[in-house]
Amino acid sequence: MTKTGLAKTGMIDFRGVNKWFGTLNVLKDITLSVEPREVVVVCGPSGSGKSTLIRCVNGLEAIKDGDLVVDGQRLGDPATNMTQLRTEIGFVFQSFNLYPHKTALENVTLAPIHVRKIPRAEAEKAGRELLAKVGLADKVNAYPAQLSGGQQQRVAIARCLGMRPKIMLFDEPTSALDPEMISEVLDVMVAVAEEGMTMMVVTHEMGFARKVAQRVVFMDAGAIVESGTPEEFFSHPKTDRSRAFLSKILRH
Amino acid sequence: MLENFSFRTIVEYLPLFGQGLITTVWLSALSFVGALIVGIVLCAMNLQRGWLFRVPAKAYIDAVRATPLLAQLYFLYFGLPRLGFVLPELVVGILALSLNSGAYIAEIIRAGILSIPRGQVEASVASGMTYVQRMRLVVLPQAFKVTIPPLLGQGIVLVKDSALLSLISVSELTRAGQLLASDRFMPAEGFLTIAAFYLLLYYGLKGLAGVSSRWLGTAGART
Ligand SMILES: Nc1ncnc2c1ncn2[C@@H]1O[C@H](COP(=O)(O)OP(=O)(O)O)[C@@H](O)[C@H]1O
Ligand SMILES: [Mg+2]
């Protein structure tokens, strides 16, 4: 994999990225390239910087130094239109963040209509199809408060897909869910991955990682400590820190 | 005392009270609209990141909240003519109420906007919305619901504050009471009657607040 030069760039390219929150070095010299259609799972202990890492990709957090190139555009470059770039990047939050004053369908069509300028009728047709795809055809007119956590997260995924993004980022999408709802969300994510979406997924769901991820990246204290195929990482972790981490998540 | 209480005089003055009541209602309504405009503008200034708009807005809000309305009213009433603006008392009064209530309303709206969870803003930012789009589509519609009950509360305060306009001889409700008190030396009759009318207005606005909060509770569920 090329680390320098612009000849070959990934869909998401971190090169020597550093970020601080005050004096805390949350991201330490991160170099990571995610290829088109690749699924990368990010795991690591709480506070290791996983959320910050993926939030940098769509500019929810700004980086201090190093380069971050997403879909060929360098973040922080005056020539990069961040608002435009964000339309190509879906972000799924741990806490769903659906719009409570909008129905499921309105949640899905809001940005396509107002940001992508797709005609309402067309956006609604696509929205209904997407909600059907995530198994919520009968919840089109429900408000978020009337949906279970798993249903809300599926609407949130449909909301991202409505923008026809090139990249999807997931920040612990199943951590806030009751155990019986986790698989319904993971199933949708697997389907999205199998359609060839470029994905960065912060999760500790090993089953998901083994099924669709090409790579698992392990973070600790702001640095990428280890990276490998799911098989390598889960079966033969190379560092003490990753072994300690795995023994903790496996106990559950 | 009650044997001296002259209901007859009250009835006699009823047309005057009616006029006063009507004036109080419409000048309060106009002032409230003015205050909303002032409040929205101040709040927008106050939410800017740059200091250029934020600092003057904050200074204005503090100045209004720290000084008595009566002082502000006199400041405009005696001050504006010196600056060459000679306006009818009624206009000065509405201006004073708008500028005063606007400062409080700015803070009410700001609290409403700040009560919207961060995740709402992040979700709309992540979907590529501009600042204006996310305010219009996501933040303000939600803030609106939170804001209505305190806004009606401010409306009640405004109606009571409008009594001060009697001091610059606007013929509103309190002025009617004053006339009865001074013309016939019947302060009890005059001021008890206006108190009853204010109470009526209060219950009207409170009823409105109740209706709106019930309507907000059912329309569009919130998490
Ligand atoms: N906005 C912020 N301001 C200051 N510190 C923060 C902020 N967000 C996160 N942090 C800190 O940065 C570190 C990494 O956070 P985060 O990326 O959320 O970790 P993770 O997602 O792996 O749990 C933590 O120590 C956290 O407390
Ligand atoms: Mg996190």
Side-chain angles (χ1 to χ4, degrees):
Chain A
M1 208 148 296
T2 50
K3 280 188 180 167
T4 52
L6 290 161
K8 183 173 180 292
T9 57
M11 193 68 140
I12 305 168
D13 238 335
F14 290 86
R15 295 176 213 158
V17 167
N18 273 285
K19 178 175 177 63
W20 280 268
F21 280 124
T23 54
L24 177 70
N25 194 187
V26 263
L27 294 180
K28 293 177 189 155
D29 199 24
I30 300 286
T31 295
L32 171 72
S33 181
V34 181
E35 304 300 316
R37 306 172 73 85
E38 190 179 15
V39 177
V40 172
V41 159
V42 181
C43 65
S46 176
S48 57
K50 309 177 297 292
S51 299
T52 307
L53 180 80
I54 65 166
R55 286 163 61 88
C56 285
V57 175
N58 72 347
L60 282 179
E61 303 287 353
I63 62 172
K64 180 69 169 51
D65 59 38
D67 282 328
L68 176 50
V69 180
V70 179
D71 192 22
Q73 305 191 61
R74 189 186 307 272
L75 301 202
D77 192 317
T80 297
N81 181 343
M82 205 59 219
T83 312
Q84 160 63 31
L85 181 57
R86 283 183 180 126
T87 64
E88 308 291 347
I89 307 170
F91 198 105
V92 176
F93 299 87
Q94 180 175 350
S95 49
F96 331 132
N97 295 351
L98 290 181
Y99 307 129
H101 60 306
K102 301 279 181 193
T103 64
L105 182 62
E106 288 166 346
N107 265 277
V108 176
T109 58
L110 193 68
I113 290 171
H114 295 277
V115 179
R116 280 255 195 256
K117 312 288 183 203
I118 294 172
R120 180 174 295 269
E122 198 181 310
E124 285 183 354
K125 184 168 173 287
R128 282 175 202 281
E129 284 167 12
L130 281 168
L131 285 170
K133 187 172 151 184
V134 300
L136 294 171
D138 56 333
K139 298 292 184 190
V140 167
N141 294 316
Y143 284 92
Q146 298 164 326
L147 300 173
S148 72
Q151 290 170 333
Q152 288 190 56
Q153 195 60 299
R154 285 184 281 153
V155 173
I157 294 172
R159 174 170 70 173
C160 292
L161 292 173
M163 293 295 280
R164 311 238 165 274
K166 293 181 181 167
I167 297 168
M168 292 264 288
L169 308 168
F170 294 80
D171 191 2
E172 304 207 36
T174 59
S175 302
L177 300 178
D178 292 335
E180 73 272 18
M181 292 173 184
I182 290 176
S183 66
E184 66 189 46
V185 171
L186 290 178
D187 289 347
V188 170
M189 291 167 58
V190 167
V192 174
E194 284 173 348
E195 283 174 13
M197 182 68 73
T198 306
M199 291 168 47
M200 282 183 82
V201 184
V202 176
T203 185
H204 297 160
E205 294 293 335
M206 294 202 325
F208 172 81
R210 284 183 190 272
K211 204 163 185 175
V212 295
Q214 279 81 51
R215 223 163 0 135
V216 174
V217 165
F218 173 71
M219 287 185 76
D220 192 19
I224 293 181
V225 176
E226 196 170 328
S227 152
T229 65
E231 187 53 35
E232 280 166 9
F233 179 73
F234 292 121
S235 309
H236 311 286
K238 287 185 283 237
T239 59
D240 288 344
R241 284 193 277 181
S242 56
R243 275 191 288 271
F245 170 74
L246 284 172
S247 74
K248 270 188 206 128
I249 64 164
L250 286 176
R251 223 178 283 148
H252 303 301
Chain B
M1 186 203 161
L2 248 189
E3 56 266 28
N4 296 333
F5 199 85
S6 171
F7 287 101
R8 216 164 43 86
T9 317
I10 292 176
V11 173
E12 192 183 320
Y13 269 75
L14 220 44
L16 187 69
F17 284 117
Q19 290 262 303
L21 178 69
I22 291 168
T23 307
T24 288
V25 168
W26 72 256
L27 83 78
S28 297
L30 262 182
S31 302
F32 191 72
V33 172
L36 270 180
I37 295 168
V38 171
I40 289 168
V41 171
L42 279 175
C43 176
M45 289 169 69
N46 202 357
L47 288 174
Q48 298 303 311
R49 245 184 242 149
W51 58 270
L52 187 62
F53 291 105
R54 204 186 60 230
V55 170
K58 274 200 194 310
Y60 176 86
I61 291 169
D62 283 344
V64 168
R65 301 215 301 180
T67 55
L69 172 57
L70 184 58
Q72 296 162 16
L73 183 64
Y74 281 157
F75 180 75
L76 290 178
Y77 184 65
F78 296 111
L80 284 179
R82 292 197 151 203
L83 295 173
F85 300 99
V86 183
L87 301 170
E89 288 88 1
L90 192 62
V91 176
V92 173
I94 291 174
L95 202 62
L97 288 176
S98 301
L99 291 172
N100 175 270
S101 260
Y104 293 92
I105 286 179
E107 291 295 273
I108 290 173
I109 298 175
R110 193 168 77 105
I113 289 174
L114 295 181
S115 76
I116 304 307
R118 212 182 134 75
Q120 292 291 306
V121 173
E122 291 192 345
S124 45
V125 167
S127 71
M129 287 186 201
T130 60
Y131 176 82
V132 172
Q133 284 173 330
R134 72 177 187 261
M135 276 309 211
R136 183 166 65 87
L137 301 169
V138 176
V139 176
L140 291 181
Q142 294 185 62
F144 182 65
K145 293 186 175 184
V146 194
T147 305
I148 285 193
L151 274 184
L152 282 170
Q154 183 61 35
I156 290 170
V157 170
L158 195 156
V159 169
K160 290 190 293 178
D161 282 351
S162 73
L164 286 181
L165 303 201
S166 62
L167 297 176
I168 58 168
S169 59
V170 172
S171 328
E172 43 67 75
L173 188 52
T174 302
R175 185 76 182 156
Q178 278 174 354
L179 285 178
L180 181 53
S182 57
D183 290 2
R184 300 287 186 90
F185 306 105
M186 290 183 179
E189 284 80 352
F191 292 118
L192 271 177
T193 310
I194 65 161
F197 279 119
Y198 280 115
L199 198 64
L200 217 64
L201 285 177
Y202 169 77
Y203 279 119
L205 282 171
K206 217 178 147 203
L208 205 61
V211 168
S212 70
S213 73
R214 233 171 304 133
W215 172 70
L216 293 173
T218 49
R222 290 179 59 88
T223 28

